[in-house]
Structure formats: C-alpha cells, structure tokens
Amino acid sequence: MHTDPITPPPARRRNLRGPRERLAEALINLSDGKGRIDSHSEKSWASITFAGARHRIRMVFEGDDAVEAGECFIVFLPEHEFTIRGQLVADAAITQVDSSASPPKLTVTCEILLLEEG
C-alpha cells in the first residue's frame, strides 16, 4: 500500500508588529521615507499611574534630498500627532543632531516616550 506524505498547510504568520515596530514605521513615514533607522533602543518606564517605554532612535539621512527631509523631520517631530495603536506619545524630542557637508549627511537622535493606553 502506498500513501502520499501529508504536507501541513503553511504556518500563518502572526502579526508581530508591536509598539516598537509601529513607532519605527511612523518615524520613517515622518521622514518621507528618506531617513533610515541606524539604531533603536527601548527602556521600560513606569510610574504609579502609567506604564510604557522610552525609545531612543538614531536616524540617518544621506544625500541632498534626504538631508532636506531630515531638517523637516527635526522641525516636525516634537509636535507630530502619532497614531500608534494602544499607545500614547507623551513626549518626542530631538536630543542630538550631527551633520556633514561632503558627502551630505545628517544624523538625528530622538527620544520618544510611549505610554500604554488604558
């Protein structure tokens, strides 16, 4: 008797996009897709009434167009209205900016405090 092996259906990928990934996507969108995240660290944060995480992100903008987008990013980040499901942005600040003229490059470090909604 011959039987064919049973091939299980492909595993469904669970949506593994948490607040960290959603924040990264929002920052790339705010940079008009012209910046890239060079580093992203996260530290849990809590008080008696709130819990969340402080994110420290370094973004790099390379080339004339990207540097211009980076300059806009610096201006708009502190007042940007983020929509990250399940999270509130309590604070968003630029903490460091480094630039070079040749080749044109802008490195922007920001800190963002996310609080869990609810």
Side-chain angles (χ1 to χ4, degrees):
M1 176 160 138
H2 177 72
T3 60
D4 292 327
I6 298 173
T7 304
R12 288 187 181 179
R13 269 188 88 184
R14 291 174 32 197
N15 189 0
L16 300 176
R17 290 174 22 99
R20 178 187 178 100
E21 292 78 18
R22 289 187 181 104
L23 175 60
E25 181 180 28
L27 293 172
I28 295 295
N29 289 339
L30 183 60
S31 76
D32 200 24
K34 295 181 180 167
R36 68 175 167 79
I37 295 176
D38 184 52
S39 68
H40 185 165
S41 62
E42 174 181 356
K43 184 175 182 180
S44 294
W45 179 90
S47 70
I48 293 172
T49 54
F50 298 107
R54 181 166 297 279
H55 296 259
R56 183 175 176 87
I57 298 112
R58 184 172 56 228
M59 294 190 67
V60 177
F61 300 84
E62 297 176 296
D64 291 328
D65 289 345
V67 167
E68 187 175 327
E71 291 168 350
C72 291
F73 179 86
I74 291 167
V75 171
F76 293 118
L77 176 73
E79 299 302 321
H80 182 68
E81 292 292 325
F82 288 89
T83 51
I84 300 172
R85 187 177 53 178
Q87 303 289 310
L88 298 172
V89 175
D91 186 42
I94 302 296
T95 58
Q96 185 175 347
V97 177
D98 297 306
S99 65
S100 66
S102 183
K105 181 178 176 181
L106 183 67
T107 303
V108 178
T109 304
C110 58
E111 289 191 7
I112 299 173
L113 177 60
L114 292 183
L115 300 179
E116 297 170 5
E117 269 187 325

